[in-house]
Structure formats: structure tokens, C-alpha cells
Amino acid sequence: ESAQQVISFCSTLCMHYYCYWPMETQVLDGSSDLLLSLAKRGPQMRELLTSSQSFQQLVLLHSITAGMRHNASQSELDATLHAKGNTNGAPPVALVRGYQRLPYGQKSRILTALLVASSDSQNTTATAMLNECLNSVQTAFSLFIQALSSKQVTPNDVNAQDMACLCVELYGGIARASEMAESERIPPFVTPSLPHLSGLMVYYAEDLAICEKLLLFFRDYAEQFVAMLDRDQSIALFSSSAELLKSYSTNHCSARVVVKKTSATEADAEEEQSYSDVLCAIQLLIHLGSKDFIDVFNTNNKSGGGVDSTQVTDMIFFGLQQIIPLMTQGLLQFPSLCTQYFSLVGFMMDTYPEKVCVLPFDLFNALLESLLFGMSHLDPFVSKSSLHGISGITREHLQKKCLDVHLSQHPDIFDNCSRRLLQEVVFHPSLIWDRLEPAGMCLLPLAALDIHRFANVVNGLSQHVCPPEHQGRLHTAFQSLVQPEVLDKVCSGGYEGRKNRIRFKKDFNE
């Protein structure tokens, strides 16, 4: 009984903070953290929460205001209360109005706490609350989509934009509720709405507030639920994500051009924050890519009902094609953007180089240029990822000649890679030793492609990086390094291939 009193007091306090102090951010954050912390403490605590009258009122407040904009009129409020059929047991209008004024981001956080707290399926009261929370969001979103489809409202209308923000934020709250009990109940609810949510990007790609909220929802949903999605749910997520990124890229490729200038650290962080939507899109692709490995190692999936590996890689490379035009060298100077981008690109190039080689030349060249930019980056992770990516592409062409079409029009692709690798990494005055090994393993397949062209690159470069008296020593060193019997076995597997790669690495380090 004493525990119930404490929990009731906490939920009542949170409800009053929400309704009477809706603009006090720190107070609201603390209240939402408190509710979520209590909800995660186990089934007994959740039962105490759902038994609290204040918590039940919070659920009712969410249900009433799920489709109410900040500027909703009194007549809209009255109509909503009448439609809910709860005019007798409804909270006071002052509480409803206060809850309605809450920032949409706070409503999202509260919804997450409500879902986690009411997630025990054995408790019929809690199950009813859970369904009420979810259905109110679905109903509000469905009515909004119907209004857009029937042109009852125009996308550029202020009320429509406000409603889009509210709906996307609430779905974001659902996407972050993976800590609830039996969270596998969320994907069947969310999946039918995914095409409509991604379709909002067509209308609101130029509105960065709504655009970023959409990207955040898809990123969080992929991060927290991709492991439990079945084949149909995964394909729905992949398809919707592809359409989302396509609409996003179409509207932002020409608009988001940046050349980062030297400035104070605080100003840099603020400027980087303005490109958080790009970072979010990259993280979405990273989380979607994990589905391939989750299904491979999921021992419960013995029926073969997982997503085919090619479907995952095709989706990631389609998304990558949408992201590449956005990644200018200016954007790559932002640390978090740079690290996440090369985390995705370096892994995909090294693991699936065959997909890269069939890209249209403009996209392939942009991707290669970003790797060449990254190989001399100060961050060792970025530089190693880039070097592994270039090495993967080169080995793939060495084995399958998959870049012959591009080379017929641009024969100096690999010459440029060799030249920049030697000039910007190997012969750089401040060579960083932690990337020496990946640099050598990248240089090996480049030399094996065409030893004569590689020799011409070395000869031309030696005149710029070495004084005349040292050029002879440099040529001798390269002749001893580039041995035909080693280069012929670059792509060999097994012991023989490994032995020759170790030999080259040893000679390169010396």
C-alpha cells in the first residue's frame, strides 16, 4: 500500500508538471525520465503504475490530444472529447489544454514511458492502455493522410505542417519503446504506416524540421527493432527507407553545399549540428545493413524466413547512391559525419566491392574521391577504412575486370589512386605509422594491376618528392619491393597467397 502511494504521488507530480508547466524543459525532461525509469523496474512496478489514477489520466490525456495541434480551437477540443465518448470521465479542460501545449518532442518521450509501463500482456488493464496509446496515434495519422490524399488540406498549410510534426514525433516515441515487455508487438503496428510516413518526405523534404524527424524515426526504428522483423516487415522497412532517402536526396543534393571554414570549436559544433539530418541518414543505412548479419546468426530463424542477403546489400547501395552526392569534402571535415560515413563506406567497399564496380561512373567517381580524401585523414579509423575500401575495389577488378567499362573512358583511375596514395600517405612528411600496414596492403593490388603503369607513376612522383641524389635509391627500393612472383599471387587464397602478402608487407615496412 505504501509503495502504491509513492508511485501514485510520482505519477500525479509528473502529470501536474506536464499540464501546468508545459514550457519548463528541464522539469519536463526530469518527469519523463522518472516515469520511464519506474516503468523499466519490472512487472511489479509497472502494475503499480497502471493502477495509479494519475497514470490512467495521463493515458487518457495522450489519447485525447494525439491528434490535436498546438493551435487547435475550442470547438476541435469539444469534438475530440465527444468522439472519445469520455466527456463524463474526461480530465478537466485545464489539464487537457496544458497537455496539448506540451512540445511535441516531450509528448514523444511521455508516450515511450506510457508504452513501456503498460506493456505487460498478462495485465488486461495495461493491455487496454497500450492499445489505447497506439490506436490514438494511428487514428490521428490516418485522418491526416486521408486529408492530404483527398486534398482537404495542402501540405504547405501551417496546420498541416504542425500536424505532420506531431504525428512523426509520436511515431518516434513508439520507435524508442523497444525496452517494453514483448516488444515484438510494435512492428505489426508500425509496418502498415511506414509507406505513408516515408511518403511525407515528398511533401516536406525542404522543411528541415519535419525532414529530420522522419529520418530520426526511421533510424530509431531500424536500430531498435530490425533484429526482430520478419521477412515481410523487413522488406516493408527497406522499401519505405529507400523511398525516404530518394526523396530526401532529390531535394537536398543541390541545396546542401558546404565548405567548412576554420572557426572556434563551439561554432564548429553548432555548424555540424545543422547537418545532423545527413548524419541520421547515414546511421539509418548502417542499422539497416546489420539485418544481413543478424539473420545469418539468428539461430531461431531455422525456417529460412529471413531476408535474403542480396536484398539487404541492394538496399544499402541504393541508399548509398542517394547519400554520396551529399557528402562534399566540406561535410567530411565534420568529425561525427566523417566517422559514420567511412564506417559505412569502408565496410561496404571491403565486403561488397562487386556492387561498387557496377555503379554509374559519376557515382563511382564521387565514392572513390571520398575514399581518396579519407585515406590521409588524421583519424586512424577513417584512414584505415578508406584504405581498406580502395584495396577492396582494386582486388575486385584484378580478379574480375569489372571496371573495364569505366577504364575504357577514364584509363587513369588507378594511376590516380596510386599517385595519391604514395604522395599523400606513404611519402607524406608526417607519415603516421598506425596506417602503414593498410597502406601497404592497398598499394599491393594497385601495383599488381599493371606494373608498367605503376612504374611510370613512381618515376613521375620521384621527381617531386625526392632530391636528385636520392631518386636512384628510391627506384632501387621499388624494384626490390615489386617482385613479379609476388604480384602474380596477390589474389591467391590459402597459404601461398598469405605467404606472398606477408612477404610484400615485410618488404614495404623496410
Side-chain angles (χ1 to χ4, degrees):
E1 184 178 348
S2 59
Q4 181 66 69
Q5 291 175 350
V6 172
I7 297 303
S8 296
F9 172 77
C10 290
S11 59
T12 302
L13 189 65
C14 291
M15 183 184 68
H16 280 79
Y17 282 153
Y18 293 144
C19 297
Y20 293 115
W21 289 8
M23 296 295 115
E24 297 294 332
T25 304
Q26 291 183 327
V27 174
L28 299 178
D29 287 343
S31 301
S32 299
D33 289 341
L34 174 61
L35 270 184
L36 185 58
S37 297
L38 291 173
K40 293 192 293 186
R41 289 184 67 86
Q44 292 182 337
M45 187 65 71
R46 289 194 287 270
E47 184 176 0
L48 292 174
L49 272 172
T50 54
S51 300
S52 165
Q53 185 177 358
S54 300
F55 185 87
Q56 294 170 9
Q57 280 200 312
L58 272 177
V59 173
L60 190 55
L61 286 168
H62 159 76
S63 175
I64 293 171
T65 62
M68 292 180 61
R69 308 176 313 278
H70 283 147
N71 62 346
S73 64
Q74 182 63 42
S75 60
E76 290 177 284
L77 173 59
D78 294 338
T80 302
L81 290 172
H82 180 74
K84 292 290 181 183
N86 268 325
T87 50
N88 293 330
V93 174
L95 292 183
V96 176
R97 278 298 189 188
Y99 197 89
Q100 175 199 355
R101 292 198 303 269
L102 280 170
Y104 296 149
Q106 288 293 342
K107 286 189 175 183
S108 173
R109 296 187 62 186
I110 297 170
L111 177 56
T112 301
L114 295 179
L115 293 175
V116 176
S118 58
S119 59
D120 289 329
S121 60
Q122 295 84 1
N123 186 329
T124 55
T125 302
T127 301
M129 291 180 181
L130 179 74
N131 293 334
E132 179 67 21
C133 289
L134 294 175
N135 290 336
S136 60
V137 175
Q138 186 179 47
T139 301
F141 184 60
S142 298
L143 292 174
F144 175 58
I145 293 299
Q146 289 174 11
L148 282 177
S149 302
S150 61
K151 298 184 179 180
Q152 296 176 11
V153 296
T154 59
N156 295 328
D157 182 76
V158 174
N159 290 337
Q161 293 174 339
D162 205 26
M163 191 64 191
C165 283
L166 172 59
C167 291
V168 176
E169 282 282 17
L170 291 179
Y171 270 95
I174 297 171
R176 290 183 285 274
S178 61
E179 293 179 286
M180 61 183 282
E182 300 179 36
S183 55
E184 62 274 9
R185 290 175 287 177
I186 294 297
F189 168 80
V190 170
T191 298
S193 301
L194 291 177
H196 302 297
L197 285 162
S198 66
L200 290 179
M201 187 64 85
V202 176
Y203 301 118
Y204 299 112
E206 295 181 0
D207 187 325
L208 278 179
I210 301 176
C211 169
E212 187 171 353
K213 287 177 173 61
L214 285 167
L215 289 168
L216 281 169
F217 162 72
F218 276 88
R219 183 202 68 182
D220 292 342
Y221 181 66
E223 179 184 13
Q224 301 202 27
F225 288 95
V226 73
M228 64 185 70
L229 300 182
D230 60 26
R231 183 179 181 277
D232 292 338
Q233 292 166 350
S234 298
I235 291 175
L237 176 59
F238 291 161
S239 301
S240 299
S241 299
E243 291 301 317
L244 179 87
L245 292 173
K246 183 179 179 181
S247 301
Y248 168 71
S249 177
T250 300
N251 284 273
H252 288 272
C253 280
S254 59
R256 305 299 290 278
V257 178
V258 61
V259 177
K260 183 173 178 287
K261 300 178 181 179
T262 303
S263 58
T265 303
E266 185 175 345
D268 287 351
E270 183 177 349
E271 187 177 0
E272 183 175 8
Q273 183 62 32
S274 66
Y275 296 95
S276 56
D277 55 309
V278 184
L279 176 63
C280 195
I282 295 171
Q283 292 171 332
L284 168 61
L285 290 176
I286 292 173
H287 296 318
L288 291 175
S290 67
K291 181 62 175 174
D292 189 14
F293 300 94
I294 290 169
D295 279 357
V296 168
F297 292 102
N298 186 1
T299 56
N300 296 324
N301 189 14
K302 297 179 181 179
S303 61
V307 181
D308 188 82
S309 179
T310 57
Q311 292 176 301
V312 179
T313 54
D314 287 347
M315 165 59 215
I316 303 308
F317 272 96
F318 177 82
L320 198 54
Q321 289 181 52
Q322 314 306 313
I323 297 298
I324 288 171
L326 292 168
M327 298 308 299
T328 62
Q329 290 194 8
L331 278 181
L332 288 174
Q333 292 180 58
F334 293 123
S336 58
L337 274 172
C338 187
T339 301
Q340 293 288 339
Y341 173 75
F342 284 104
S343 174
L344 172 66
V345 169
F347 168 75
M348 297 304 291
M349 300 310 99
D350 194 29
T351 311
Y352 306 106
E354 71 280 359
K355 298 285 186 179
V356 184
C357 297
V358 298
L359 291 174
F361 178 75
D362 289 342
L363 286 172
F364 171 81
N365 189 54
L367 182 57
L368 185 60
E369 282 295 323
S370 69
L371 293 175
L372 292 172
F373 169 83
M375 69 182 180
S376 58
H377 200 275
L378 291 176
D379 188 327
F381 172 79
V382 171
S383 64
K384 290 177 183 179
S385 297
S386 302
L387 290 166
H388 287 313
I390 296 171
S391 176
I393 295 172
T394 310
R395 288 197 309 269
E396 184 69 16
H397 177 69
L398 196 60
Q399 290 176 320
K400 301 178 181 178
K401 303 299 179 186
C402 52
L403 287 173
D404 281 347
V405 174
H406 292 336
L407 288 169
S408 65
Q409 301 293 323
H410 308 274
D412 60 343
I413 291 175
F414 289 113
D415 294 346
N416 184 45
C417 292
S418 301
R419 185 181 303 107
R420 290 187 61 177
L421 175 60
L422 291 170
Q423 187 172 4
E424 298 176 18
V425 180
V426 177
F427 293 140
H428 195 274
S430 57
L431 172 65
I432 302 177
W433 296 97
D434 61 9
R435 65 200 63 181
L436 189 60
E437 180 178 337
M441 292 298 98
C442 182
L443 192 65
L444 175 59
L446 286 170
L449 281 173
D450 190 327
I451 191 171
H452 300 294
R453 294 183 71 103
F454 183 76
N456 291 335
V457 171
V458 173
N459 291 333
L461 194 60
S462 64
Q463 300 175 12
H464 300 284
V465 298
C466 287
E469 61 271 18
H470 293 163
Q471 290 179 15
R473 291 176 56 191
L474 178 64
H475 293 155
T476 303
F478 266 102
Q479 287 175 4
S480 62
L481 175 66
V482 183
Q483 298 293 328
E485 64 271 16
V486 175
L487 298 183
D488 290 342
K489 297 182 174 65
V490 168
C491 295
S492 299
Y495 172 74
E496 189 69 20
R498 183 172 181 272
K499 182 179 71 173
N500 282 280
R501 285 192 291 274
I502 291 175
R503 176 183 170 183
F504 180 88
K505 183 176 73 171
K506 179 181 177 182
D507 293 342
F508 178 76
N509 291 340
E510 293 176 350

mmCIF file of all heavy atoms in Angstrom, residues 193-226:
data_model
loop_
_atom_site.group_PDB
_atom_site.id
_atom_site.type_symbol
_atom_site.label_atom_id
_atom_site.label_comp_id
_atom_site.label_asym_id
_atom_site.label_seq_id
_atom_site.Cartn_x
_atom_site.Cartn_y
_atom_site.Cartn_z
ATOM 1 N N SER A 193 2.119 1.638 -41.508
ATOM 2 C CA SER A 193 2.252 3.096 -41.609
ATOM 3 C C SER A 193 3.550 3.529 -42.278
ATOM 4 O O SER A 193 3.689 4.717 -42.626
ATOM 5 C CB SER A 193 2.176 3.728 -40.203
ATOM 6 O OG SER A 193 0.954 3.426 -39.571
ATOM 7 N N LEU A 194 4.500 2.611 -42.452
ATOM 8 C CA LEU A 194 5.814 3.007 -42.978
ATOM 9 C C LEU A 194 5.739 3.661 -44.355
ATOM 10 O O LEU A 194 6.381 4.700 -44.583
ATOM 11 C CB LEU A 194 6.749 1.793 -43.009
ATOM 12 C CG LEU A 194 7.201 1.255 -41.647
ATOM 13 C CD1 LEU A 194 8.059 0.006 -41.819
ATOM 14 C CD2 LEU A 194 7.967 2.318 -40.885
ATOM 15 N N PRO A 195 4.984 3.099 -45.338
ATOM 16 C CA PRO A 195 4.932 3.767 -46.650
ATOM 17 C C PRO A 195 4.365 5.184 -46.569
ATOM 18 O O PRO A 195 4.824 6.085 -47.292
ATOM 19 C CB PRO A 195 4.024 2.847 -47.472
ATOM 20 C CG PRO A 195 4.065 1.524 -46.786
ATOM 21 C CD PRO A 195 4.221 1.839 -45.338
ATOM 22 N N HIS A 196 3.387 5.391 -45.710
ATOM 23 C CA HIS A 196 2.792 6.722 -45.576
ATOM 24 C C HIS A 196 3.762 7.695 -44.896
ATOM 25 O O HIS A 196 3.828 8.878 -45.261
ATOM 26 C CB HIS A 196 1.489 6.642 -44.784
ATOM 27 C CG HIS A 196 0.468 5.716 -45.391
ATOM 28 N ND1 HIS A 196 -0.092 5.939 -46.632
ATOM 29 C CD2 HIS A 196 -0.080 4.553 -44.932
ATOM 30 C CE1 HIS A 196 -0.946 4.974 -46.916
ATOM 31 N NE2 HIS A 196 -0.951 4.117 -45.902
ATOM 32 N N LEU A 197 4.508 7.188 -43.910
ATOM 33 C CA LEU A 197 5.483 8.041 -43.244
ATOM 34 C C LEU A 197 6.595 8.449 -44.204
ATOM 35 O O LEU A 197 6.997 9.616 -44.249
ATOM 36 C CB LEU A 197 6.071 7.310 -42.029
ATOM 37 C CG LEU A 197 5.148 7.223 -40.809
ATOM 38 C CD1 LEU A 197 5.603 6.143 -39.848
ATOM 39 C CD2 LEU A 197 5.071 8.571 -40.094
ATOM 40 N N SER A 198 7.115 7.479 -44.981
ATOM 41 C CA SER A 198 8.156 7.836 -45.953
ATOM 42 C C SER A 198 7.593 8.745 -47.037
ATOM 43 O O SER A 198 8.302 9.596 -47.584
ATOM 44 C CB SER A 198 8.760 6.574 -46.577
ATOM 45 O OG SER A 198 7.807 5.882 -47.361
ATOM 46 N N GLY A 199 6.300 8.588 -47.349
ATOM 47 C CA GLY A 199 5.671 9.450 -48.346
ATOM 48 C C GLY A 199 5.604 10.903 -47.923
ATOM 49 O O GLY A 199 5.539 11.805 -48.776
ATOM 50 N N LEU A 200 5.628 11.166 -46.607
ATOM 51 C CA LEU A 200 5.632 12.551 -46.149
ATOM 52 C C LEU A 200 6.876 13.305 -46.599
ATOM 53 O O LEU A 200 6.852 14.537 -46.723
ATOM 54 C CB LEU A 200 5.534 12.604 -44.622
ATOM 55 C CG LEU A 200 4.198 12.203 -43.983
ATOM 56 C CD1 LEU A 200 4.288 12.296 -42.471
ATOM 57 C CD2 LEU A 200 3.065 13.070 -44.503
ATOM 58 N N MET A 201 7.981 12.560 -46.849
ATOM 59 C CA MET A 201 9.208 13.215 -47.283
ATOM 60 C C MET A 201 9.027 13.901 -48.633
ATOM 61 O O MET A 201 9.692 14.903 -48.931
ATOM 62 C CB MET A 201 10.346 12.201 -47.356
ATOM 63 C CG MET A 201 11.716 12.802 -47.632
ATOM 64 S SD MET A 201 12.303 13.908 -46.337
ATOM 65 C CE MET A 201 13.034 12.724 -45.195
ATOM 66 N N VAL A 202 8.119 13.391 -49.468
ATOM 67 C CA VAL A 202 7.844 14.022 -50.761
ATOM 68 C C VAL A 202 7.323 15.440 -50.547
ATOM 69 O O VAL A 202 7.683 16.368 -51.276
ATOM 70 C CB VAL A 202 6.817 13.186 -51.558
ATOM 71 C CG1 VAL A 202 6.447 13.889 -52.859
ATOM 72 C CG2 VAL A 202 7.362 11.792 -51.832
ATOM 73 N N TYR A 203 6.478 15.613 -49.534
ATOM 74 C CA TYR A 203 5.893 16.919 -49.254
ATOM 75 C C TYR A 203 6.813 17.825 -48.446
ATOM 76 O O TYR A 203 6.828 19.043 -48.640
ATOM 77 C CB TYR A 203 4.577 16.762 -48.476
ATOM 78 C CG TYR A 203 3.515 15.962 -49.176
ATOM 79 C CD1 TYR A 203 3.031 14.777 -48.628
ATOM 80 C CD2 TYR A 203 2.972 16.388 -50.388
ATOM 81 C CE1 TYR A 203 2.034 14.046 -49.259
ATOM 82 C CE2 TYR A 203 1.979 15.664 -51.026
ATOM 83 C CZ TYR A 203 1.519 14.491 -50.461
ATOM 84 O OH TYR A 203 0.539 13.761 -51.089
ATOM 85 N N TYR A 204 7.596 17.212 -47.528
ATOM 86 C CA TYR A 204 8.276 18.030 -46.531
ATOM 87 C C TYR A 204 9.800 17.888 -46.537
ATOM 88 O O TYR A 204 10.449 18.185 -45.537
ATOM 89 C CB TYR A 204 7.741 17.680 -45.136
ATOM 90 C CG TYR A 204 6.268 17.949 -44.990
ATOM 91 C CD1 TYR A 204 5.356 16.901 -44.845
ATOM 92 C CD2 TYR A 204 5.781 19.247 -45.014
ATOM 93 C CE1 TYR A 204 3.995 17.157 -44.709
ATOM 94 C CE2 TYR A 204 4.420 19.504 -44.879
ATOM 95 C CZ TYR A 204 3.533 18.455 -44.730
ATOM 96 O OH TYR A 204 2.194 18.705 -44.604
ATOM 97 N N ALA A 205 10.372 17.461 -47.659
ATOM 98 C CA ALA A 205 11.828 17.318 -47.709
ATOM 99 C C ALA A 205 12.537 18.651 -47.520
ATOM 100 O O ALA A 205 13.643 18.714 -46.978
ATOM 101 C CB ALA A 205 12.250 16.679 -49.034
ATOM 102 N N GLU A 206 11.929 19.728 -47.961
ATOM 103 C CA GLU A 206 12.559 21.041 -47.835
ATOM 104 C C GLU A 206 12.365 21.641 -46.438
ATOM 105 O O GLU A 206 13.027 22.624 -46.097
ATOM 106 C CB GLU A 206 11.995 21.991 -48.889
ATOM 107 C CG GLU A 206 12.330 21.562 -50.321
ATOM 108 C CD GLU A 206 11.786 22.534 -51.348
ATOM 109 O OE1 GLU A 206 11.153 23.535 -50.937
ATOM 110 O OE2 GLU A 206 11.986 22.286 -52.550
ATOM 111 N N ASP A 207 11.463 21.090 -45.673
ATOM 112 C CA ASP A 207 11.261 21.537 -44.291
ATOM 113 C C ASP A 207 12.187 20.716 -43.397
ATOM 114 O O ASP A 207 11.897 19.571 -43.062
ATOM 115 C CB ASP A 207 9.795 21.341 -43.896
ATOM 116 C CG ASP A 207 9.465 21.935 -42.536
ATOM 117 O OD1 ASP A 207 10.343 21.885 -41.642
ATOM 118 O OD2 ASP A 207 8.349 22.440 -42.360
ATOM 119 N N LEU A 208 13.304 21.309 -43.005
ATOM 120 C CA LEU A 208 14.320 20.540 -42.284
ATOM 121 C C LEU A 208 13.815 19.984 -40.959
ATOM 122 O O LEU A 208 14.264 18.923 -40.518
ATOM 123 C CB LEU A 208 15.564 21.405 -42.047
ATOM 124 C CG LEU A 208 16.547 21.496 -43.213
ATOM 125 C CD1 LEU A 208 17.707 22.396 -42.851
ATOM 126 C CD2 LEU A 208 17.049 20.106 -43.596
ATOM 127 N N ALA A 209 12.878 20.687 -40.307
ATOM 128 C CA ALA A 209 12.353 20.205 -39.025
ATOM 129 C C ALA A 209 11.630 18.870 -39.219
ATOM 130 O O ALA A 209 11.901 17.890 -38.511
ATOM 131 C CB ALA A 209 11.420 21.234 -38.413
ATOM 132 N N ILE A 210 10.707 18.809 -40.184
ATOM 133 C CA ILE A 210 9.950 17.574 -40.428
ATOM 134 C C ILE A 210 10.855 16.526 -41.077
ATOM 135 O O ILE A 210 10.790 15.336 -40.731
ATOM 136 C CB ILE A 210 8.729 17.862 -41.319
ATOM 137 C CG1 ILE A 210 7.824 18.897 -40.651
ATOM 138 C CG2 ILE A 210 7.944 16.577 -41.592
ATOM 139 C CD1 ILE A 210 6.641 19.321 -41.496
ATOM 140 N N CYS A 211 11.707 16.967 -41.997
ATOM 141 C CA CYS A 211 12.627 16.053 -42.686
ATOM 142 C C CYS A 211 13.492 15.295 -41.690
ATOM 143 O O CYS A 211 13.614 14.064 -41.753
ATOM 144 C CB CYS A 211 13.489 16.862 -43.655
ATOM 145 S SG CYS A 211 14.882 15.962 -44.357
ATOM 146 N N GLU A 212 14.078 16.016 -40.747
ATOM 147 C CA GLU A 212 14.949 15.357 -39.774
ATOM 148 C C GLU A 212 14.162 14.459 -38.830
ATOM 149 O O GLU A 212 14.645 13.393 -38.440
ATOM 150 C CB GLU A 212 15.732 16.402 -38.980
ATOM 151 C CG GLU A 212 16.788 15.778 -38.077
ATOM 152 C CD GLU A 212 17.709 16.801 -37.456
ATOM 153 O OE1 GLU A 212 17.630 17.985 -37.816
ATOM 154 O OE2 GLU A 212 18.507 16.414 -36.591
ATOM 155 N N LYS A 213 12.948 14.849 -38.467
ATOM 156 C CA LYS A 213 12.119 13.993 -37.616
ATOM 157 C C LYS A 213 11.806 12.664 -38.318
ATOM 158 O O LYS A 213 11.795 11.599 -37.679
ATOM 159 C CB LYS A 213 10.828 14.720 -37.241
ATOM 160 C CG LYS A 213 11.004 15.832 -36.216
ATOM 161 C CD LYS A 213 9.701 16.543 -35.942
ATOM 162 C CE LYS A 213 9.806 17.546 -34.808
ATOM 163 N NZ LYS A 213 10.766 18.622 -35.063
ATOM 164 N N LEU A 214 11.544 12.712 -39.612
ATOM 165 C CA LEU A 214 11.294 11.478 -40.367
ATOM 166 C C LEU A 214 12.528 10.587 -40.383
ATOM 167 O O LEU A 214 12.436 9.367 -40.167
ATOM 168 C CB LEU A 214 10.863 11.822 -41.792
ATOM 169 C CG LEU A 214 9.432 12.336 -41.974
ATOM 170 C CD1 LEU A 214 9.250 12.927 -43.361
ATOM 171 C CD2 LEU A 214 8.428 11.208 -41.746
ATOM 172 N N LEU A 215 13.671 11.177 -40.644
ATOM 173 C CA LEU A 215 14.912 10.402 -40.655
ATOM 174 C C LEU A 215 15.196 9.807 -39.275
ATOM 175 O O LEU A 215 15.631 8.652 -39.159
ATOM 176 C CB LEU A 215 16.077 11.278 -41.098
ATOM 177 C CG LEU A 215 16.084 11.675 -42.582
ATOM 178 C CD1 LEU A 215 17.112 12.770 -42.839
ATOM 179 C CD2 LEU A 215 16.388 10.464 -43.461
ATOM 180 N N LEU A 216 14.943 10.585 -38.231
ATOM 181 C CA LEU A 216 15.153 10.088 -36.867
ATOM 182 C C LEU A 216 14.235 8.915 -36.560
ATOM 183 O O LEU A 216 14.658 7.929 -35.937
ATOM 184 C CB LEU A 216 14.906 11.213 -35.855
ATOM 185 C CG LEU A 216 16.023 12.233 -35.668
ATOM 186 C CD1 LEU A 216 15.535 13.409 -34.847
ATOM 187 C CD2 LEU A 216 17.231 11.579 -35.000
ATOM 188 N N PHE A 217 12.974 9.014 -36.971
ATOM 189 C CA PHE A 217 12.054 7.907 -36.727
ATOM 190 C C PHE A 217 12.549 6.633 -37.408
ATOM 191 O O PHE A 217 12.619 5.565 -36.776
ATOM 192 C CB PHE A 217 10.657 8.238 -37.229
ATOM 193 C CG PHE A 217 9.793 7.020 -37.411
ATOM 194 C CD1 PHE A 217 9.296 6.330 -36.304
ATOM 195 C CD2 PHE A 217 9.524 6.515 -38.674
ATOM 196 C CE1 PHE A 217 8.537 5.173 -36.465
ATOM 197 C CE2 PHE A 217 8.758 5.366 -38.838
ATOM 198 C CZ PHE A 217 8.263 4.696 -37.738
ATOM 199 N N PHE A 218 12.884 6.710 -38.687
ATOM 200 C CA PHE A 218 13.338 5.514 -39.401
ATOM 201 C C PHE A 218 14.653 4.994 -38.822
ATOM 202 O O PHE A 218 14.846 3.779 -38.723
ATOM 203 C CB PHE A 218 13.482 5.814 -40.898
ATOM 204 C CG PHE A 218 12.191 5.681 -41.660
ATOM 205 C CD1 PHE A 218 11.317 6.749 -41.774
ATOM 206 C CD2 PHE A 218 11.837 4.471 -42.244
ATOM 207 C CE1 PHE A 218 10.111 6.623 -42.461
ATOM 208 C CE2 PHE A 218 10.638 4.332 -42.925
ATOM 209 C CZ PHE A 218 9.769 5.408 -43.040
ATOM 210 N N ARG A 219 15.542 5.894 -38.437
ATOM 211 C CA ARG A 219 16.801 5.454 -37.836
ATOM 212 C C ARG A 219 16.559 4.724 -36.520
ATOM 213 O O ARG A 219 17.096 3.634 -36.282
ATOM 214 C CB ARG A 219 17.719 6.651 -37.590
ATOM 215 C CG ARG A 219 19.084 6.281 -37.029
ATOM 216 C CD ARG A 219 19.736 7.442 -36.324
ATOM 217 N NE ARG A 219 19.022 7.802 -35.095
ATOM 218 C CZ ARG A 219 19.374 8.810 -34.313
ATOM 219 N NH1 ARG A 219 20.398 9.586 -34.640
ATOM 220 N NH2 ARG A 219 18.698 9.067 -33.198
ATOM 221 N N ASP A 220 15.744 5.325 -35.648
ATOM 222 C CA ASP A 220 15.497 4.712 -34.337
ATOM 223 C C ASP A 220 14.732 3.394 -34.474
ATOM 224 O O ASP A 220 15.018 2.428 -33.753
ATOM 225 C CB ASP A 220 14.714 5.677 -33.445
ATOM 226 C CG ASP A 220 15.530 6.895 -33.048
ATOM 227 O OD1 ASP A 220 16.770 6.839 -33.160
ATOM 228 O OD2 ASP A 220 14.928 7.913 -32.652
ATOM 229 N N TYR A 221 13.769 3.368 -35.386
ATOM 230 C CA TYR A 221 13.008 2.132 -35.583
ATOM 231 C C TYR A 221 13.910 1.023 -36.107
ATOM 232 O O TYR A 221 13.847 -0.125 -35.636
ATOM 233 C CB TYR A 221 11.852 2.382 -36.549
ATOM 234 C CG TYR A 221 10.986 1.160 -36.800
ATOM 235 C CD1 TYR A 221 10.226 0.599 -35.784
ATOM 236 C CD2 TYR A 221 10.942 0.559 -38.054
ATOM 237 C CE1 TYR A 221 9.437 -0.522 -36.002
ATOM 238 C CE2 TYR A 221 10.162 -0.568 -38.290
ATOM 239 C CZ TYR A 221 9.413 -1.100 -37.269
ATOM 240 O OH TYR A 221 8.642 -2.214 -37.487
ATOM 241 N N ALA A 222 14.780 1.343 -37.067
ATOM 242 C CA ALA A 222 15.704 0.334 -37.601
ATOM 243 C C ALA A 222 16.681 -0.122 -36.534
ATOM 244 O O ALA A 222 16.975 -1.316 -36.406
ATOM 245 C CB ALA A 222 16.458 0.908 -38.799
ATOM 246 N N GLU A 223 17.172 0.814 -35.735
ATOM 247 C CA GLU A 223 18.152 0.465 -34.703
ATOM 248 C C GLU A 223 17.554 -0.460 -33.647
ATOM 249 O O GLU A 223 18.183 -1.436 -33.237
ATOM 250 C CB GLU A 223 18.681 1.735 -34.045
ATOM 251 C CG GLU A 223 19.693 1.477 -32.932
ATOM 252 C CD GLU A 223 20.143 2.734 -32.234
ATOM 253 O OE1 GLU A 223 19.505 3.793 -32.430
ATOM 254 O OE2 GLU A 223 21.141 2.672 -31.503
ATOM 255 N N GLN A 224 16.342 -0.175 -33.224
ATOM 256 C CA GLN A 224 15.795 -0.874 -32.070
ATOM 257 C C GLN A 224 14.940 -2.092 -32.422
ATOM 258 O O GLN A 224 14.741 -2.959 -31.574
ATOM 259 C CB GLN A 224 14.967 0.104 -31.226
ATOM 260 C CG GLN A 224 15.784 1.288 -30.732
ATOM 261 C CD GLN A 224 15.193 1.968 -29.518
ATOM 262 O OE1 GLN A 224 14.486 1.359 -28.730
ATOM 263 N NE2 GLN A 224 15.503 3.228 -29.345
ATOM 264 N N PHE A 225 14.455 -2.172 -33.669
ATOM 265 C CA PHE A 225 13.532 -3.267 -33.985
ATOM 266 C C PHE A 225 13.963 -4.140 -35.159
ATOM 267 O O PHE A 225 13.305 -5.136 -35.436
ATOM 268 C CB PHE A 225 12.132 -2.700 -34.272
ATOM 269 C CG PHE A 225 11.422 -2.200 -33.050
ATOM 270 C CD1 PHE A 225 11.470 -0.865 -32.703
ATOM 271 C CD2 PHE A 225 10.724 -3.067 -32.218
ATOM 272 C CE1 PHE A 225 10.828 -0.387 -31.577
ATOM 273 C CE2 PHE A 225 10.082 -2.613 -31.091
ATOM 274 C CZ PHE A 225 10.128 -1.266 -30.758
ATOM 275 N N VAL A 226 15.046 -3.783 -35.868
ATOM 276 C CA VAL A 226 15.388 -4.547 -37.068
ATOM 277 C C VAL A 226 15.702 -5.998 -36.737
ATOM 278 O O VAL A 226 15.466 -6.900 -37.547
ATOM 279 C CB VAL A 226 16.578 -3.882 -37.808
ATOM 280 C CG1 VAL A 226 17.901 -4.097 -37.067
ATOM 281 C CG2 VAL A 226 16.687 -4.392 -39.233
#
